[in-house]
Amino acid sequence: MMKKKLKYIIGATLLFTAFILKAQDIPKELMGVYTSKPSNKFSDEFNGHRNNNIFDVKKWHYRASTKDGLGQGPEYVQEKDGKLICFGLKDQRKSGALVSNDYFQFGWYAFKWKTTGIYHNKRNAWHPSVWGSLDDTHGNNVPGTTGKESNWMEIDIMEFSTGGGEHTDWSSDAPAYLWVDSLKQKVKVNIEPGPSFSWKKAIMIDGKTDKYKEEVIGVKGHGDWQTLAMEYHPDYMQMWKLDKDTWVRIGNKVTFTDNTIPPTLRTVPRKAVKPLYWYVGSLFFSYGKTPIREDQITNSTFEVDWFHYHPIKKKSLK
């Protein structure tokens, strides 16, 4: 009888502990907005213990390789030891990434990550990122993002800089691609001819000046495990980080506005707000005013312990 009671207590404790851990996945104040449990279809713990260190192919596929910067296959991307590892190979000048098989949109996106071989006080040629795009690199596009009068918004939840002087940081931004009737083409807001319209790219964290606890966000701690999240709400985007066991807002809120309002540092026209395919990975991406030196190029990894997507609750879409 005592053994049965003990088993019950242990079991109840484990369930309670699991519930608490799951509840901490999103802030308490947002529990009524997003589902408390992450979507199994779009989330991944990266601990499937599959043969040959392969990832869950029902959820992801390799990002297509390119001549420069991107490789494809287990040499570059593995699910190993309970995490996703994207290897940056110095001798090949390539790394790899995964892309979600499906596109999805509003919700709470959270992931735990770190890098190796990337130092905050040195120039860096590797480009780890978690971001959303209009395509899956296999010929599929989100509806309404291509062709005449199409619009969309890239979302870089976390994107490392490369080639920017003797330091390395990461940022969070959301450049819009908007159809311009007078040009009969789609224009990215942060390159020509965008600036001639006084358009600006929406930035949540700039990696240069935005601070948390008096320290610029994204400039240090690349080799430490850290947990970031982004709210993709029907009305706005907001970055968060897990500070020990407490979720805190960081950076700047970007709101979605009437389509007649030009894009700014803190706004994006609603017509650009679309579902996206989601990328997790890295690539070799060296640029800058001066060529990167051989001694500045390293072997690296971008490691993701888990990636969670909590869909927005239907009542919040009203």
Side-chain angles (χ1 to χ4, degrees), residues 86-94 115-119 124 126 294 296-302:
C86 303
F87 297 93
L89 305 181
K90 176 180 178 178
D91 61 338
Q92 295 190 30
R93 304 293 200 269
K94 287 185 178 182
T115 68
T116 65
I118 297 177
Y119 309 102
N124 166 56
W126 300 106
E294 183 68 21
Q296 295 173 319
I297 304 172
T298 63
N299 287 309
S300 73
T301 64
F302 175 44

Side-chain angles (χ1 to χ4, degrees), residues 247-308:
W247 282 105
V248 293
R249 291 180 178 87
I250 55 174
N252 311 282
K253 177 186 279 189
V254 169
T255 58
F256 304 137
T257 63
D258 185 273
N259 290 333
T260 60
I261 299 175
T264 71
L265 283 174
R266 304 288 181 253
T267 65
V268 174
R270 288 187 181 277
K271 62 185 177 182
V273 180
K274 301 288 175 66
L276 299 169
Y277 289 97
W278 295 92
Y279 291 55
V280 179
S282 187
L283 70 154
F284 183 85
F285 188 49
S286 174
Y287 64 87
K289 293 181 179 179
T290 59
I292 193 164
R293 301 192 310 266
E294 183 68 21
D295 65 285
Q296 295 173 319
I297 304 172
T298 63
N299 287 309
S300 73
T301 64
F302 175 44
E303 304 182 17
V304 181
D305 189 19
W306 48 263
F307 172 89
H308 290 172

Side-chain angles (χ1 to χ4, degrees), residues 61-64 98-103 133-142 277-279:
H61 59 268
Y62 289 118
R63 183 177 181 179
L98 297 185
V99 185
S100 63
N101 291 339
D102 298 291
Y103 53 82
S133 178
L134 78 166
D135 74 298
D136 67 351
T137 77
H138 285 181
N140 299 305
N141 297 92
V142 174
Y277 289 97
W278 295 92
Y279 291 55

Side-chain angles (χ1 to χ4, degrees), residues 115-188:
T115 68
T116 65
I118 297 177
Y119 309 102
H120 73 272
N121 58 351
K122 295 183 179 181
R123 192 177 179 188
N124 166 56
W126 300 106
H127 192 66
S129 58
V130 176
W131 64 292
S133 178
L134 78 166
D135 74 298
D136 67 351
T137 77
H138 285 181
N140 299 305
N141 297 92
V142 174
T145 61
T146 60
K148 185 178 180 180
E149 298 182 358
S150 63
N151 306 279
W152 72 284
M153 172 182 61
E154 175 184 324
I155 300 178
D156 302 306
I157 302 178
M158 187 283 294
E159 176 185 39
F160 266 69
S161 64
T162 60
E166 297 299 317
H167 70 280
T168 293
D169 56 55
W170 57 262
S171 59
S172 306
D173 56 39
Y177 296 72
L178 303 174
W179 181 268
V180 180
D181 285 328
S182 60
L183 298 176
K184 296 183 179 180
Q185 66 177 351
K186 193 161 45 184
V187 174
K188 185 178 180 181

Side-chain angles (χ1 to χ4, degrees), residues 1-196:
M1 185 72 177
M2 192 66 180
K3 287 183 177 180
K4 286 185 177 180
K5 188 174 181 180
L6 185 60
K7 283 184 177 180
Y8 173 80
I9 293 173
I10 293 172
T13 301
L14 289 173
L15 284 172
F16 179 74
T17 301
F19 173 78
I20 292 298
L21 289 173
K22 191 63 70 178
Q24 290 177 344
D25 206 24
I26 62 175
K28 288 183 179 179
E29 65 190 272
L30 298 180
M31 294 290 282
V33 181
Y34 308 101
T35 61
S36 59
K37 185 178 179 181
S39 164
N40 183 59
K41 182 178 180 181
F42 300 120
S43 303
D44 207 325
E45 305 298 326
F46 299 120
N47 59 1
H49 304 292
R50 300 176 186 86
N51 293 332
N52 303 315
N53 297 326
I54 194 67
F55 50 87
D56 188 343
V57 295
K58 293 181 180 179
K59 298 178 180 180
W60 310 93
H61 59 268
Y62 289 118
R63 183 177 181 179
S65 60
T66 59
K67 182 179 179 181
D68 300 309
L70 274 169
Q72 185 180 96
E75 184 176 9
Y76 306 99
V77 181
Q78 295 181 16
E79 183 181 289
K80 186 178 181 181
D81 300 327
K83 55 185 178 288
L84 182 74
I85 306 176
C86 303
F87 297 93
L89 305 181
K90 176 180 178 178
D91 61 338
Q92 295 190 30
R93 304 293 200 269
K94 287 185 178 182
S95 187
L98 297 185
V99 185
S100 63
N101 291 339
D102 298 291
Y103 53 82
F104 44 106
Q105 191 173 18
F106 300 128
W108 170 265
Y109 295 75
F111 55 98
K112 183 178 179 182
W113 67 277
K114 73 172 184 176
T115 68
T116 65
I118 297 177
Y119 309 102
H120 73 272
N121 58 351
K122 295 183 179 181
R123 192 177 179 188
N124 166 56
W126 300 106
H127 192 66
S129 58
V130 176
W131 64 292
S133 178
L134 78 166
D135 74 298
D136 67 351
T137 77
H138 285 181
N140 299 305
N141 297 92
V142 174
T145 61
T146 60
K148 185 178 180 180
E149 298 182 358
S150 63
N151 306 279
W152 72 284
M153 172 182 61
E154 175 184 324
I155 300 178
D156 302 306
I157 302 178
M158 187 283 294
E159 176 185 39
F160 266 69
S161 64
T162 60
E166 297 299 317
H167 70 280
T168 293
D169 56 55
W170 57 262
S171 59
S172 306
D173 56 39
Y177 296 72
L178 303 174
W179 181 268
V180 180
D181 285 328
S182 60
L183 298 176
K184 296 183 179 180
Q185 66 177 351
K186 193 161 45 184
V187 174
K188 185 178 180 181
V189 302
N190 61 329
I191 59 174
E192 292 289 353
S196 64

Side-chain angles (χ1 to χ4, degrees), residues 34 105-109 230-234 309-313:
Y34 308 101
Q105 191 173 18
F106 300 128
W108 170 265
Y109 295 75
M230 183 195 71
E231 277 186 87
Y232 189 4
H233 187 275
Y309 167 68
H310 297 251
I312 193 167
K313 292 184 176 180

